[in-house]
Amino acid sequence: MTLPATLIPGDGIGPEITDAAVRLLDAAGARIEWDRQLAGMAAVAAHNDPIPEQTLASIRRTRIALKGPLETPVGKGFRSINVALRREFDLYANVRPAKSILRGLRYDNVDLIIVRENTEGLYSGIENYVRIGEDEHAAAQSMAVVTRVGAERIHRYAFDLAVRLGRRKVTLVHKANILKFSQGLFLEVGRAIAEEYAGKVAVEERIVDACAMDLVVRPEAFDVLVTTNLFGDILSDLTSGLVGGLGLTPGANVGRNTAIFEAVHGTAPDIAGQGVANPTAVMLAACQMMDHAGEPEVAARMRTAIEETLRERKAVTRDVGGTATTAAYANAVIARL
Ligand code: NAI
């Protein structure tokens, strides 16, 4: 059976790194029928729309997409692409694993996954200024929205993921001691969902500030973490830093019936077109995609080949201390399959 999937090469280094990921998938035996679509600046050039209807229609049909980084055009009238995709497909779970691959960094034993709520919290977009006297911007307020339904589905996603991957623990990360209502509800729901998984996976609770410190002091103590939008955004960049930076970090955006996989980094305009970008993050996103598509053996083979090639450091790109081109590194990974 072939898997229909949408491929969005993206802007800047996007086409170079997604090409490497597509070659790796192909060599690993993933049978994917790609539907190539435009988004970002490439789509603005072609259709004057950074996220054209035909790209959305393709994802609606395939329900699975691999996406290169996109440049959101500056200026009025253009929608933020990532927000548009998240809203359109209700991609409520942002899943960002951080695993030590390279040796010789400050940490060599990190292996955790942050599950970030992607649609609510302080990023709900409900904000306003308050006028006092002559000052129209005398105050500003942003509303953190937590719904029971939203909290339930993200906690359930995290616990299901932990069970599926044989993980030992889920950490509920919150600030319910201060934000008694929004964070309080998130924690209350998390505790209830945790009970459903009692005996299958352990659970602990951490207040976000203490959690940030613990992640730096003893990251090996963490496994799966689940948290609200803002905290997840910040903590997942922190955990990327623990394992060598954004260039090695993939991210999945998952909804009830659609998922989009990507690298966490941007379009790297400073090195675009030079063939020197590191495709590891988007290759690891392709591994997440294969796990999601029910092909864990293909994902595991690709991951092992990537990790071994990186650890050997013979044919790696210059951002991780090598001299290999994007294509030469991809070839080295493929040769190890
Ligand atoms: P960036 O992540 O593109 O680049 C930051 C630095 O990291 C640069 O020095 C770049 O050369 C380096 N870098 C990034 N990925 C690399 C890779 N795979 N291999 C080697 N080096 C790599 O962040 P920046 O410069 O802030 O953003 C550039 C553009 O990307 C902006 O237009 C931004 O909107 C967009 N962007 C898109 C994202 C997405 O589509 N998911 C996410 C983040 C930014």
Side-chain angles (χ1 to χ4, degrees):
M1 276 244 311
T2 56
L3 172 77
T6 303
L7 179 69
I8 301 172
D11 299 317
I13 60 171
E16 303 159 51
I17 58 174
T18 50
D19 178 64
V22 166
R23 286 205 291 127
L24 174 62
L25 282 161
D26 202 30
R31 286 185 297 276
I32 301 175
E33 191 186 296
W34 293 110
D35 182 11
R36 284 171 193 264
Q37 294 291 341
L38 298 177
M41 289 312 275
V44 171
H47 307 289
N48 200 32
D49 184 350
I51 179 84
E53 179 51 35
Q54 65 202 65
T55 302
L56 295 175
S58 171
I59 301 172
R60 241 174 251 132
R61 179 177 68 80
T62 62
R63 298 179 169 196
I64 193 163
L66 184 66
K67 162 182 165 299
L70 303 173
E71 184 182 338
T72 292
V74 184
K76 287 208 172 112
F78 286 120
R79 299 178 277 171
S80 158
I81 304 164
N82 288 325
V83 172
L85 288 173
R86 232 175 269 162
R87 292 234 170 102
E88 177 76 22
F89 299 106
D90 196 17
L91 305 173
Y92 65 88
N94 182 208
V95 184
R96 283 177 59 173
K99 183 179 176 187
S100 303
I101 302 176
L102 292 168
R103 296 293 176 232
L105 300 179
R106 205 168 299 163
Y107 305 93
D108 59 11
N109 49 4
V110 181
D111 186 6
L112 56 82
I113 304 173
I114 296 205
V115 178
R116 163 193 172 198
E117 204 292 322
N118 219 9
T119 55
E120 306 190 331
L122 258 180
Y123 290 7
S124 303
I126 306 174
E127 297 190 288
N128 64 277
Y129 287 113
V130 179
R131 180 196 184 103
I132 300 177
E134 293 297 297
D135 187 354
E136 288 191 3
H137 293 178
Q141 39 195 17
S142 307
M143 194 181 290
V145 178
V146 171
T147 65
R148 186 175 295 283
V149 169
E152 276 177 3
R153 66 181 182 176
I154 196 67
H155 283 103
R156 195 159 272 128
Y157 185 91
F159 278 92
D160 280 342
L161 182 79
V163 170
R164 179 154 46 88
L165 299 181
R167 296 285 183 149
R168 59 185 198 286
K169 185 174 73 175
V170 175
T171 305
L172 313 180
V173 183
H174 66 90
K175 190 73 186 177
N177 52 325
I178 304 292
L179 299 167
K180 305 226 181 250
F181 290 73
S182 54
Q183 289 289 319
L185 177 59
F186 192 78
L187 180 60
E188 175 196 316
V189 170
R191 285 175 177 164
I193 301 289
E195 273 178 30
E196 293 178 21
Y197 292 82
K200 289 187 190 151
V201 57
V203 63
E204 67 173 9
E205 298 171 9
R206 307 292 292 159
I207 293 175
V208 64
D209 39 348
C211 181
M213 188 191 73
D214 278 350
L215 278 168
V216 173
V217 174
R218 45 182 198 107
E220 69 282 356
F222 290 91
D223 202 336
V224 174
L225 300 90
V226 57
T227 192
T228 47
N229 210 331
L230 171 68
F231 296 159
D233 195 6
I234 298 169
L235 291 184
S236 61
D237 267 31
L238 184 157
T239 56
S240 293
L242 299 178
V243 299
L246 295 178
L248 300 172
T249 311
N253 295 284
V254 186
R256 202 157 56 85
N257 46 34
T258 305
I260 299 180
F261 301 86
E262 63 183 342
V264 164
H265 60 72
T267 59
D270 49 335
I271 56 167
Q274 298 175 20
V276 296
N278 187 350
T280 299
V282 77
M283 283 176 164
L284 290 171
C287 297
Q288 286 186 303
M289 177 173 150
M290 284 295 95
D291 276 331
H292 180 86
E295 299 274 4
E297 306 82 18
V298 174
R301 282 182 64 216
M302 297 200 305
R303 255 189 213 109
T304 304
I306 294 166
E307 291 177 7
E308 287 179 358
T309 310
L310 280 172
R311 277 200 202 111
E312 196 190 43
R313 285 201 193 227
K314 264 196 194 150
V316 295
T317 48
R318 69 185 191 196
D319 57 301
V320 286
T323 55
T325 61
T326 309
Y329 166 71
N331 291 345
V333 173
I334 288 167
R336 278 197 175 261
L337 280 171

